[in-house]
Amino acid sequence: MKSYKNLYLKIYDLKNLILAYKKARKGKTKKHYVIEFEKDLAYNLKILHDELKNQTYKPKPLKKFILRDPKTRKISKSDFRDRIVHHALIRIIEPLFDKIFIYDSCANRIGKGNLFATNRFYCFMRKVSRNGKLNGWFNNNQIKGYCFKADIKHYFQEIDQEILLKIIKRKIKCKKTLYLITRIIKNFDNKTKGMPLGNLTSQFFANVYLNELDQFVKHNLNIKFYIRYVDDFVILHPSKLQLIEWKQKVNRFLNEALRVELHSEKSKIVSLSRGIDLVGFRNFYHFKILRKRNIKNMFSKVTEYKESIVSKESLLDSFQGWSAYAKWANTFRLRKEISKKIIKKTVPKTLSLKNVISLE
């Protein structure tokens, strides 16, 4: 594996910090902390530059809050200046690690994402179904095959920080860069386990950590039809018995090499004919539908607007983002129904439904 030295100069370079600042502020220009930072932008960036250069930079304590959507999650929010540092770091080291990631690691990567993951899933499902028929696993009239749908229990809370740092050190030999990475990782309540939900660095390091699983699955087990999205992953095969064997080997590897484990209730082998939950969709052979939780969330936001809990702008932003995602499933009638519920109160009468949202 190729390793890299002398990265630190690139991280604290003022041009890199400016680009990192622009990424950190994207979509948040009206936030008070961004406005405050920009009151003396040049000075604040120069201070950050000097702290990094002199290795006196110290992350501020994380701000914690509970998010219910409806799943309850504890989010840890970094200070804005720390988020600039996160972007500056990731801008330099992400391309180095991305080269070793497998093609079907789909989360938080340029050119990938949830729609990429679903497209790959359908590609694999067709191949598994066809291979099963050719090998006599089931009758020609059946759409079958199986999927090992897996979830890692309390993944972000259970990541072993020392194992993570050892993995990173195999790739990065720059001592100052490693010192900065260690400060970021250790800026957490637990100094031995876990990473904060909500940090850009946590999303990236989550991929670095589970790249070990990806390599084991692809090169040790020689599994063809495998997709991972953060800590959720699927393996497809015509044979249920083969998936049972792989499940045991995967769980043993996670326990022994990474000190995490499969979620016993959420990690199951399911027939493809029943539909597979993946990145917010329930995926069947000929169609996909949105998961009920996603639909419920959107209806809840409409209700919150009608009760004056959220603003018109917030609702429209949520609706347009949700709709852009939902249109990839069979949701034309659903999106039209939700549009009608909010259109009278949110837009002028002169605007048509098509102006609010692009429907199929």
Side-chain angles (χ1 to χ4, degrees):
M1 181 190 293
K2 185 178 179 180
S3 59
Y4 295 86
K5 301 178 180 179
N6 305 319
L7 298 172
Y8 199 63
L9 287 169
K10 297 177 182 179
I11 294 169
Y12 71 75
D13 181 82
L14 205 50
K15 290 181 180 178
N16 187 47
L17 287 177
I18 291 169
L19 292 171
Y21 147 74
K22 289 180 178 179
K23 282 206 165 190
R25 78 190 286 270
K26 189 175 181 181
K28 299 176 177 65
T29 54
K30 295 181 181 179
K31 297 289 186 180
H32 69 89
Y33 52 80
V34 176
I35 295 170
E36 190 66 29
F37 190 88
E38 289 175 341
K39 285 181 179 178
D40 203 342
L41 178 60
Y43 174 77
N44 286 328
L45 286 176
K46 183 64 168 60
I47 290 293
L48 205 51
H49 165 82
D50 291 344
E51 288 181 10
L52 288 168
K53 182 179 180 180
N54 300 325
Q55 288 190 280
T56 57
Y57 164 75
K58 184 178 180 181
K60 293 186 177 182
L62 300 167
K63 294 182 179 178
K64 302 173 185 63
F65 60 93
I66 301 298
L67 182 66
R68 294 181 176 87
D69 63 343
K71 184 179 178 180
T72 300
R73 295 181 294 166
K74 185 178 180 180
I75 305 298
S76 299
K77 188 176 180 181
S78 294
D79 189 82
F80 182 64
R81 75 193 302 270
D82 294 328
R83 279 180 259 168
I84 295 173
V85 174
H86 296 172
H87 278 281
L89 172 67
I90 298 304
R91 275 181 48 79
I92 301 305
I93 69 171
E94 183 177 33
L96 313 181
F97 281 91
D98 198 72
K99 294 175 184 178
I100 63 170
F101 290 163
I102 67 168
Y103 186 74
D104 291 309
S105 168
C106 302
N108 308 309
R109 296 179 67 196
I110 296 171
K112 303 295 173 76
N114 47 25
L115 296 178
F116 176 88
T118 56
N119 287 338
R120 291 293 284 173
F121 179 81
Y122 275 92
C123 174
F124 289 170
M125 184 159 54
R126 286 191 291 270
K127 289 181 178 180
V128 166
S129 179
R130 183 169 65 248
N131 290 347
K133 289 176 181 177
L134 291 174
N135 290 286
W137 292 100
F138 42 80
N139 296 329
N140 287 333
N141 293 329
Q142 293 177 312
I143 298 171
K144 278 198 174 179
Y146 295 90
C147 175
F148 169 33
K149 173 72 172 66
D151 179 275
I152 297 177
K153 186 177 181 180
H154 302 149
Y155 176 55
F156 279 87
Q157 298 173 31
E158 296 298 325
I159 287 174
D160 187 297
Q161 295 174 4
E162 292 308 315
I163 293 176
L164 172 61
L165 286 169
K166 284 179 183 177
I167 295 168
I168 293 169
K169 287 175 183 177
R170 294 205 304 259
K171 193 75 175 169
I172 296 177
K173 302 300 181 183
C174 176
K175 291 183 179 180
K176 291 183 177 180
T177 300
L178 289 170
Y179 176 77
L180 175 61
I181 290 171
T182 302
R183 297 214 80 163
I184 292 171
I185 290 174
K186 297 293 184 180
N187 187 38
F188 193 55
D189 296 339
N190 191 325
K191 303 301 181 184
T192 60
K193 286 202 310 183
M195 292 192 302
L197 269 174
N199 274 6
L200 172 69
T201 48
S202 297
Q203 297 170 17
F204 172 71
F205 291 139
N207 270 348
V208 172
Y209 201 73
L210 282 184
N211 180 58
E212 301 295 300
L213 171 66
D214 299 343
Q215 301 300 329
F216 174 75
V217 165
K218 299 300 288 185
H219 300 298
N220 291 68
L221 301 182
N222 297 313
I223 294 172
K224 288 184 178 180
F225 305 125
Y226 166 81
I227 302 166
R228 182 175 61 80
Y229 192 92
V230 194
D231 60 324
D232 291 331
F233 61 92
V234 293
I235 300 173
L236 286 73
H237 197 271
S239 168
K240 187 174 183 178
L241 290 176
Q242 178 64 79
L243 289 177
I244 291 171
E245 179 186 331
W246 282 340
K247 179 181 178 181
Q248 293 170 348
K249 290 181 178 180
V250 164
N251 200 31
R252 189 181 308 121
F253 174 83
L254 290 171
N255 289 167
E256 295 175 358
L258 298 178
R259 300 289 189 268
V260 293
E261 62 180 333
L262 293 175
H263 196 299
S264 58
E265 295 179 3
K266 296 180 180 179
S267 300
K268 298 178 180 179
I269 296 171
V270 184
S271 170
L272 291 173
S273 63
R274 292 176 54 188
I276 306 300
D277 286 339
L278 183 66
V279 294
F281 299 114
R282 191 166 182 82
N283 301 276
F284 295 87
Y285 195 89
H286 293 296
F287 64 95
K288 66 170 75 77
I289 59 176
L290 273 181
R291 293 178 65 182
K292 291 181 181 179
R293 186 173 72 188
N294 289 11
I295 299 170
K296 184 179 178 181
N297 285 351
M298 193 61 242
F299 274 105
S300 295
K301 285 173 183 174
V302 173
T303 301
E304 287 176 355
Y305 170 67
K306 290 182 177 180
E307 295 175 354
S308 300
I309 297 173
V310 298
S311 66
K312 175 179 73 176
E313 291 78 12
S314 177
L315 174 63
L316 285 177
D317 284 346
S318 297
F319 179 58
Q320 289 171 355
W322 175 86
S323 181
Y325 179 74
K327 74 178 183 180
W328 292 96
N330 299 66
T331 58
F332 176 83
R333 291 181 181 178
L334 172 65
R335 288 180 290 121
K336 189 172 182 180
E337 177 188 348
I338 296 177
S339 299
K340 287 180 178 179
K341 286 183 178 293
I342 65 176
I343 194 169
K344 291 181 182 179
K345 196 174 179 182
T346 58
V347 297
K349 293 181 179 179
T350 53
L351 284 181
S352 68
L353 187 62
K354 287 183 179 180
N355 294 132
V356 181
I357 175 175
S358 175
L359 296 174
E360 295 171 335

